[in-house]
Amino acid sequence: MNKDVLVSIVIPVYNRENIITETINCAINQTYKNIEIIVSDNCSTDNTLAIIKDLALADNRIKILQNSENLGPVLNWKNCIDHVSGDFVKILWSDDLITENFIEETLKLFTDDCAFVMSAIKHFNGNIENVIFESNYQQRTVYDKDEYLKNILIYNKVVFPVSPGCALFRTKDIKSSFLEEVPNPESLVFKRYGAGNDLLLFIITANKYKYIKVVPQFLSYFRSHSESLTLSNSLDIYYEYAKWYFINNEYRKLIPDFGAKIYFRNLRDSMTYKIMVKYINVKVNLFTKIKYYLLKKVQI
């Protein structure tokens, strides 16, 4: 990969005075040097903005965006992305960390037929050495797009991440795959949490290319804490509506399989899925139900 390629690292942030220095330093210390660091402060009420300004004085690659009002998380992501200049973009959540060689290792795997490049992930609680989860999809470094989509949308036999915080994207793909809201009959406001919006960045982009690639090393570290939006809220239904939106509009060959999945989910939890079952209105035959049940029980 040409070292003249500019990579944009974007950091949307709100009230992270205790950890934002560590996060921004992960970007500053990248071994790949041709980067810009865009930090969008979502009208923080603590000392976050002052800390960012101090860091920017020491590194002119840091560009600060200061919102005059709190836009909510998803529109703050968009604010970052709207201001990037790089050909590639890395979303670095304000409570997460990456290793110093993240950009270098992911960037060099890009080819014309590759949608995005992910690294392996560790989740930690408090101290980075207190690991509570490790990914295993990195056992392979290349996945066919159809295999990837079937897994992440339906069967979940290979547990791929929904957070784009572990991946490097082309800027043009992030921009064209970004959705603020997803149609649904339950008045769910997707820009409130970003659940589903994050997954759509992956799957809409994946559908445009032949492969996705994985760096087998653990280069991404996700912090687990009570203030995390995805941990503090039950958001599964948001993800299922996002998946349905994509399948119904871009990947219709999986409609029967998705219908079978929601059929079984509704059997287990009708309070959550009864409206969705009626909304998607997919007639699932017995063969598809049996196929789904068996494929969930055995390896694909």
Side-chain angles (χ1 to χ4, degrees), residues 33-182:
K33 298 302 182 184
N34 193 16
I35 62 173
E36 64 173 3
I37 303 165
I38 298 175
V39 187
S40 180
D41 180 70
N42 206 10
C43 205
S44 291
T45 58
D46 63 3
N47 201 39
T48 296
L49 183 59
I51 294 170
I52 298 168
K53 288 180 176 179
D54 285 343
L55 291 168
L57 289 175
D59 194 321
N60 61 12
R61 296 175 300 173
I62 299 175
K63 302 176 182 178
I64 302 173
L65 307 175
Q66 183 179 0
N67 300 334
S68 59
E69 61 179 356
N70 191 308
L71 304 176
V74 172
L75 292 183
N76 198 32
W77 307 354
K78 185 176 186 297
N79 190 43
C80 287
I81 294 166
D82 285 345
H83 286 84
V84 302
S85 302
D87 295 312
F88 293 84
V89 62
K90 163 76 180 86
I91 300 175
L92 178 57
W93 306 126
S94 60
D95 47 4
D96 293 340
L97 304 172
I98 53 175
T99 61
E100 294 180 356
N101 59 336
F102 179 94
I103 300 299
E104 180 180 358
E105 295 299 323
T106 53
L107 188 59
K108 70 184 182 183
L109 289 188
F110 261 96
T111 52
D112 290 343
D113 56 3
C114 171
F116 47 81
V117 179
M118 300 187 296
S119 81
I121 299 169
K122 290 185 180 182
H123 290 233
F124 68 98
N125 191 352
N127 191 295
I128 194 171
E129 296 178 355
N130 185 24
V131 175
I132 59 176
F133 169 82
E134 292 185 357
S135 63
N136 62 8
Y137 56 84
Q138 70 275 6
Q139 294 174 5
R140 287 171 54 188
T141 57
V142 179
Y143 287 90
D144 176 83
K145 109 39 200 302
D146 291 312
E147 179 185 10
Y148 166 76
L149 289 173
K150 185 182 291 186
N151 264 282
I152 201 165
L153 294 169
I154 307 293
Y155 296 109
N156 204 35
K157 302 300 285 190
V158 178
V159 183
F160 290 108
V162 297
S163 170
C166 65
L168 185 69
F169 294 84
R170 294 176 183 86
T171 299
K172 66 177 183 179
D173 292 327
I174 280 280
K175 290 186 174 182
S176 63
S177 302
F178 192 95
L179 271 72
E180 294 179 21
E181 291 293 348
V182 175

Side-chain angles (χ1 to χ4, degrees), residues 206-241:
N207 199 34
K208 300 174 184 176
Y209 296 90
K210 190 173 182 180
Y211 302 109
I212 66 168
K213 295 186 178 180
V214 180
V215 178
Q217 292 88 5
F218 291 101
L219 308 182
S220 301
Y221 291 79
F222 292 172
R223 189 187 306 267
S224 298
H225 58 94
S226 61
E227 295 178 2
S228 171
L229 288 174
T230 54
L231 289 178
S232 59
N233 299 279
S234 179
L235 302 174
D236 284 353
I237 190 66
Y238 286 79
Y239 283 105
E240 297 303 344
Y241 275 117

Side-chain angles (χ1 to χ4, degrees), residues 6 18 72 119 132 139 167 178 186 189-190 207 232 235 243 253 262-263 268:
L6 179 64
N18 294 328
S119 81
I132 59 176
Q139 294 174 5
F178 192 95
E186 302 187 49
V189 181
F190 276 73
N207 199 34
S232 59
L235 302 174
K243 291 174 184 179
K253 63 185 178 181
I262 298 304
Y263 168 83
R268 295 194 306 269

